[in-house]
Amino acid sequence: MRSLIHLVLFSFLTLPFNLFADATPSAKNDVKEDFELMKGRLRHIALGYKPDQNGTEMPDEQTLAAAKMILDEQNDDGSWDWIDYGSRRASGWPGYKHFFNLLPLCQVGCRLPQDSKQPGQYLDGTHRAIQFWKERNFRSDNWWPHEIYIPMVAGQLVLMLGDEASPAERDFLINEIMSASTIKSTGQNRIWLSTNVFVRSLLLNDFETATNAMDAVLKELKITTHEGLQPDWSYHQHGNQLQWGNYGLHYVEDMTKWLWLISGTQFETPEKVAIMRNYILNGQRWVIWKNFYDISGQGRQIRPNSTKIGGQIQLTSSNRKSKIISDHMAYMKAADPEFSAQYQALIDQVALRKDAKPLTGNKVYWRSDYMVHRTPDFMTSVKMNSAHLLGTESGGNSENMLGTYLSDGACFFYRSGKKYDEIFPVWNWRQIPGTTLLQSSKPIPVPGWKNPANMQPFAGGVSNGSSGCVAMDYKRDGLTARKAWFASGDLVMCLGTNITSGNPEPVDTTVDQCLLNAAVVVQDAKEIRKIETGTYRFNTVKSITHDGLVYSFPKPQSITLDCGRQTGNWKRILKSESDKAIQKNVFNLRINHGVSPKSAEYSYLVYPKSETTPEKSEILSNTEKTQAVRFETAIMAIFYEPTTLSWGQANAITVSCPCAIMLTQNKDKKYSYLSLSDPDRKHTTATLTINLDGHTYDKNMTFPSGEQAGSTIQESL
């Protein structure tokens, strides 16, 4: 149900439209005048208008089609046959759909020209649906619908109906339903609850309570190391857990509207605008590839097609999230006009406009064990976890039932963005791309709201803004592994070592598991050939090409490739969904380490297929102590302990403590820049000796501490 919250963010008082968007009050306005301005803007929002609309536009065809379908299916008593009103289940409670239907009915009824017969039909359906619920007051076993979602919709209805709402309806919606919301909880839940209190207070003309509620909301627009917006522009909720595409996405929805709401009033705060600007441009924007949202950013919300537009267009859970971000840039453009070009670039990116300028570069989010690397044609993301960070929650609200390993080194590769689209019902969830896992026949464990996952502290990496690397010392289910990812230009080198398990079960590292969208071409020492569907095993393969990507193997390894139909259903992931069988053709490529491996390793390189020769790369080390790669313009190394990395005739790096290092060349091809981080997040200083190209550099560097612990520091050599 939370995935639908973007349609019901605010509920607000009915006022004439001449008070809304373009008014610019002076600093002399008193609180009441500012609230009058905000009421006009809020009604504008409630009726579905954007800041740049004048409030007289007709509903678009998709909204009209959706409202007509809902009206046509409504019973005379105001109910809908396809809603299971008797259910009380906590996850996917059917009852919320009654209020979800009310929104387009009421919105269309209020926006259509009042001199036609149509508005009356939609408004009559709205009144009947309100009365039906009032007489029965259905309940879920989950608190969330009754304290957050339904009160939000109730406020929307009062706002939109205005004088059309009877005194009895207003009393029911305001004093019975909306009174369930109080200012409490943390993070995004606190924002929702406080917003409901704010709206109810406005409806009751209680400006003192409204001021307190607004203060509670705006206090959440801050940087914190607890639940909420993190110093690296990621977002945490439910403890130290990445929640970009769930709570963090709703945070954008709410706060962008709030910033426009208070702009030009005495409540306007430039510092708050700057925080949201950075969260969008340095956080959320980076996890959207074209019009798809990165799987690792979605958290537990792995869901089927969850939004219908006009009963016709289906949006997947992934691209629906990217569209939400894009839609809310209108509010940021109005609240932060100086940066409107950057917000428009994000809109263009999601709309897949040909002239959209691609976002490129590399970021390591040290608070969330996450790296994203982007070039004009390619994006990859890596999601890890550690003793500092919980794994992705699995099983709470009976959601994401198989997602226990979603943050155990998941590494996704994107070109079109469609390669993982709706694959989840048929996925083998022990073969998530990038992970090294036991291939057990036992059911996948379901840890619930808290997934401690990997308890080793070493996870993180280093970035200079264009290239970067991350690594994880992994220990779970009796399996250990040291895994690292190095990204430069279009190349991503993936290394694993110290893969050891005492379990009598096989261990695989999954290179990729995606939809089978194109021909598969295999190159080995003897030939290049296309292969058909089936299962293939290789020991000397050099590369495998599929769907615009090349998977290259620098050394012989035992590899399995499955190309064919996989079967599953959505119910195995989300209990409220159907168990109807779904079949999809899948490309599943993995490296086999055998049963109970001891100190096994792997290496593979991934890059987009093109006519040009890829950049050169060389593995300098893949041992228990160090993992290192040299690209044409950078050397990257992960040190798990104090040691020396040597290569060539006289090149070496000696470190005094575990760390991640990158050496980068300047325009003259000289190594001039040093980037360093502490993935353990516990060391104070590092002593480095670097022997490179006949030069020796001695460095004593101090690591960032506090909220910056784990972040990258940079110096010139």
Side-chain angles (χ1 to χ4, degrees), residues 242 296 368-370 381-385 389 406-410:
L242 181 62
S296 287
S368 295
D369 297 345
Y370 179 94
S381 70
V382 178
K383 181 68 186 76
M384 308 169 293
N385 61 74
L389 191 79
L406 262 176
S407 56
D408 288 28

Side-chain angles (χ1 to χ4, degrees), residues 188 293 337 346 452 518 567:
Q188 183 57 40
Y293 205 90
L346 176 52
T567 302

Side-chain angles (χ1 to χ4, degrees), residues 256-313:
T256 54
K257 289 187 175 182
W258 271 103
L259 291 175
W260 177 62
L261 175 65
I262 65 175
S263 63
T265 75
Q266 62 190 284
F267 303 108
E268 182 178 38
T269 309
E271 292 80 6
K272 301 287 187 182
V273 175
I275 290 173
M276 181 52 58
R277 178 196 311 139
N278 277 292
Y279 179 46
I280 291 170
L281 299 181
N282 293 316
Q284 286 281 349
R285 187 184 179 193
W286 281 76
V287 296
I288 298 172
W289 177 253
K290 297 186 177 180
N291 65 343
F292 280 84
Y293 205 90
D294 179 33
I295 296 168
S296 287
Q298 293 190 56
R300 76 171 190 270
Q301 289 195 335
I302 303 295
R303 296 175 175 177
N305 293 335
S306 53
T307 299
K308 288 185 178 180
I309 307 222
Q312 301 294 325
I313 299 176

Side-chain angles (χ1 to χ4, degrees), residues 1 87-89 93 95-96 99 133 137-152 176-181 193 196:
M1 68 191 71
S87 171
R88 294 184 62 96
R89 70 182 181 222
W93 179 52
Y96 86 88
F99 281 83
W133 195 271
N137 196 21
F138 302 101
R139 303 291 298 181
S140 166
D141 289 332
N142 189 343
W143 70 277
W144 196 90
H146 306 291
E147 295 188 36
I148 291 180
Y149 181 81
I150 293 177
M152 279 188 180
E176 292 190 40
I177 290 182
M178 297 189 72
S179 62
S181 296
L193 289 163
N196 287 348

Side-chain angles (χ1 to χ4, degrees), residues 429-441:
W429 286 78
R430 288 187 183 274
Q431 295 169 359
I432 295 170
T435 60
T436 300
L437 297 173
L438 295 173
Q439 301 304 303
S440 174
S441 59

Side-chain angles (χ1 to χ4, degrees), residues 297-339:
Q298 293 190 56
R300 76 171 190 270
Q301 289 195 335
I302 303 295
R303 296 175 175 177
N305 293 335
S306 53
T307 299
K308 288 185 178 180
I309 307 222
Q312 301 294 325
I313 299 176
Q314 295 273 3
L315 293 178
T316 67
S317 177
S318 179
N319 60 19
R320 177 186 57 76
K321 292 178 185 295
S322 63
K323 188 176 186 301
I324 290 171
I325 292 288
S326 173
D327 287 348
H328 283 73
M329 291 308 95
Y331 299 100
M332 286 306 294
K333 290 171 71 175
D336 192 22
E338 183 180 351
F339 289 82

Side-chain angles (χ1 to χ4, degrees), residues 609-627:
K609 180 183 178 183
S610 70
E611 299 301 321
T612 60
T613 303
E615 175 185 345
K616 292 180 180 179
S617 61
E618 177 188 2
I619 299 172
L620 300 180
S621 177
N622 188 23
T623 68
E624 184 178 1
K625 294 182 179 181
T626 60
Q627 292 174 298

